[in-house]
Amino acid sequence: MPRLYARLLSVGLALLLPVSLTACGGPDPVLPVQPTPSATAAPVQQKTEVFQLPCYPEAGFHPFTGANKTNLVLNGLLYEGLYELDPTFHPQSVLAVSHSKSEDGLSWTFTLRQGVTFSDGSPLTPADVAASLNLARQEGQYAARLAGITGVAAGEGSVTVTLSKPNGALPALLDVPIVKGTGERPVGTGPYVLTGEGETLALTARMGWWRGEQLPLDTIALWAVQEPDDFIYAFDTHDLSLVSADLTGADTLGYSGSYETVDFSTSVLLYLGFNTASGPCREEAVRRALARGLDRQTIAASLLSSHAQPSALPFHPESEYYDAAQDASLAYAPQAMLDQLQAAGWSWSGETLVRNGQPLSLTLIVNQDNIHRQGVADFLAESLTQVGISVTVQKLPWEGYLTALKEGQFDLYLGETRLTGDFDPAPLLIPGGGLNYGRFSS
């Protein structure tokens, strides 16, 4: 945790893929998030010189039922899971030391680490793990990723997880906090414990943490935030030492002054989706051709200020599933795009591509609440228009955007979602998938 020493360090989320080649899909119903309403500035606490992180005391701190993003960022200091994902998204053992699975892949048994205690001194038990996972799959931010689990049962020094269908990457989904207690502040096995109330809230290093590692700070003060403007002012005046922000998100707060930005990889996917049920994009040849006309490098470097990693595959370039050679074979190549379109029967007529007397004309929709995504949509439209493809960008408010997606009123759409740690694209691709707005049916 050496980065905690950096003064005025802002951590930006690195978007996974500026544009994906998936033929369909859409944004998670909660992504992109709706913009935060403007707020009136609130009185700011007296400035101190200690290291401080922000929190919203009134929003609660429960890792499953809590919804405040700022508070949830603290989870990694309070709680641990059976596994944690390393920078390559590979699961590393934490509270689980090993696992085995049945031949049909539907039953997994995880052997728990011995000698682990919660911050209240009580030992970690299989019952605690089973209760946590069962609660997490019922509600909150982890419910969707754990939807394939039909049951979790405690055993002798182990827990058994039963699945509705095989998933060989199950450990990548189990970086879920293991907690004890049912209140708003359950205890965890992590290096810090939440202490105090209101404006005296702090993270205090616990004695007897099982890893035995030297922590960089004995106490991390928490700055009580009431309103977004309060948050911004506290950071600008150096009262907050570090904040986590999606610098290209719809609800990003505006920071000013001098600060350092450090990106870290996430599984957030920004992608271009196709309507496979109607219009020109119902043809696979057209979709394949258009995919070669997407300049992901420029989008990532210029439009998203390098807070993104370009990839033509639905995997982060750091992921073990990423195939560099395959990605290179799908790279930006406008001439290859034109060659493929001509092979599909499209030909030049003046400044546009036509077939059977009809121009290649497309409608691209985007949520107007995010200026970064609007910029990406405009760039894509201009790039395709320059090679003879007419693209009209419709910038829609959130509700209108969702309506257009559900009713198939588009040829292309710019979407964003957060993939699970196993990079499962099923919601985007399978019939009936929650994100399959493109009506992909193969």
Side-chain angles (χ1 to χ4, degrees):
M1 301 164 60
R3 290 179 181 171
L4 290 181
Y5 289 116
R7 189 66 173 166
L8 297 177
L9 175 64
S10 175
V11 179
L13 296 183
L15 294 180
L16 170 60
L17 308 176
V19 179
S20 163
L21 297 188
T22 52
C24 63
D28 186 302
V30 299
L31 286 173
V33 294
Q34 299 187 56
T36 303
S38 59
T40 303
V44 179
Q45 302 166 357
Q46 183 177 0
K47 182 176 178 179
T48 69
E49 296 302 324
V50 299
F51 184 92
Q52 296 191 106
L53 297 177
C55 73
Y56 286 81
E58 302 301 321
F61 294 90
H62 198 289
F64 302 149
T65 60
N68 183 276
K69 293 181 179 180
T70 299
N71 290 356
L72 292 177
V73 167
L74 304 176
N75 282 348
L77 298 173
L78 300 170
Y79 307 104
E80 296 169 306
L82 296 181
Y83 295 86
E84 63 183 12
L85 299 183
D86 65 19
T88 66
F89 298 92
H90 186 77
Q92 300 294 332
S93 294
V94 182
L95 299 182
V97 293
S98 64
H99 63 262
S100 61
K101 59 182 177 179
S102 60
E103 290 187 7
D104 60 9
L106 296 178
S107 179
W108 290 65
T109 299
F110 298 90
T111 301
L112 303 184
R113 188 179 299 277
Q114 299 298 307
V116 177
T117 60
F118 288 101
S119 58
D120 64 356
S122 61
L124 172 72
T125 69
D128 295 319
V129 175
S132 295
L133 294 179
N134 280 322
L135 178 60
R137 68 190 183 91
Q138 294 171 12
E139 58 182 325
Q141 62 170 329
Y142 299 103
R145 76 159 76 173
L146 302 179
I149 295 178
T150 59
V152 184
E156 187 67 32
S158 65
V159 292
T160 298
V161 176
T162 306
L163 304 178
S164 59
K165 60 181 179 180
N167 182 355
L170 178 61
L173 303 181
L174 297 181
D175 57 341
V176 176
I178 301 303
V179 306
K180 181 178 182 180
T182 57
E184 280 302 310
R185 290 163 61 170
V187 296
T189 64
Y192 288 87
V193 60
L194 184 62
T195 59
E197 299 288 344
E199 296 184 359
T200 66
L201 281 168
L203 300 179
T204 303
R206 51 171 295 205
M207 299 295 293
W209 184 38
W210 66 270
R211 297 198 194 192
E213 298 176 5
Q214 180 66 39
L215 299 175
L217 296 172
D218 292 331
T219 302
I220 300 175
L222 297 182
W223 179 274
V225 179
Q226 302 299 328
E227 302 287 349
D229 284 354
D230 199 12
F231 196 122
I232 297 172
Y233 186 72
F235 183 75
D236 290 346
T237 57
H238 299 196
D239 287 298
L240 288 177
S241 308
L242 180 151
V243 296
S244 177
D246 179 354
L247 299 183
T248 59
D251 58 349
T252 299
L253 300 177
Y255 299 106
S256 60
S258 175
Y259 58 84
E260 180 184 359
T261 301
V262 175
D263 289 314
F264 58 90
S265 299
T266 75
S267 60
V268 174
L269 173 71
L270 178 62
Y271 63 96
L272 187 69
F274 300 88
N275 186 339
T276 68
S278 64
C281 294
R282 68 182 181 276
E283 296 183 34
E284 181 182 350
V286 172
R287 298 195 300 270
R288 286 183 176 274
L290 292 176
R292 301 302 303 274
L294 310 180
D295 188 354
R296 302 169 188 81
Q297 293 287 348
T298 296
I299 292 172
S302 298
L303 300 181
L304 300 178
S305 303
S306 296
H307 297 304
Q309 290 292 322
S311 174
L313 305 175
F315 307 114
H316 193 286
E318 298 298 327
S319 166
E320 62 183 324
Y321 304 119
Y322 176 78
D323 186 329
Q326 185 180 17
D327 186 38
S329 71
L330 300 171
Y332 175 58
Q335 186 57 55
M337 176 185 66
L338 291 175
D339 291 343
Q340 291 180 32
L341 287 174
Q342 290 175 345
W346 298 89
S347 59
W348 281 97
S349 176
E351 297 182 351
T352 61
L353 289 170
V354 300
R355 188 176 66 181
N356 300 326
Q358 298 296 319
L360 182 50
S361 180
L362 306 171
T363 297
L364 167 59
I365 64 172
V366 63
N367 176 17
Q368 71 179 24
D369 297 330
N370 186 287
I371 59 173
H372 299 284
R373 270 167 248 159
Q374 288 187 54
V376 172
D378 287 337
F379 174 81
L380 291 173
E382 181 179 357
S383 299
L384 294 175
T385 298
Q386 289 178 351
V387 294
I389 303 171
S390 175
V391 180
T392 300
V393 177
Q394 292 185 358
K395 301 173 182 179
L396 305 174
W398 177 247
E399 293 301 329
Y401 175 69
L402 286 180
T403 297
L405 286 175
K406 293 175 182 177
E407 296 181 357
Q409 298 174 353
F410 62 90
D411 296 303
L412 307 169
Y413 69 93
L414 198 63
E416 180 177 312
T417 190
R418 182 183 297 276
L419 297 174
T420 51
D422 57 354
F423 290 95
D424 181 11
L428 293 161
L429 302 175
I430 64 173
L435 305 180
N436 189 357
Y437 294 115
R439 279 78 170 171
F440 195 76
S441 60
S442 173

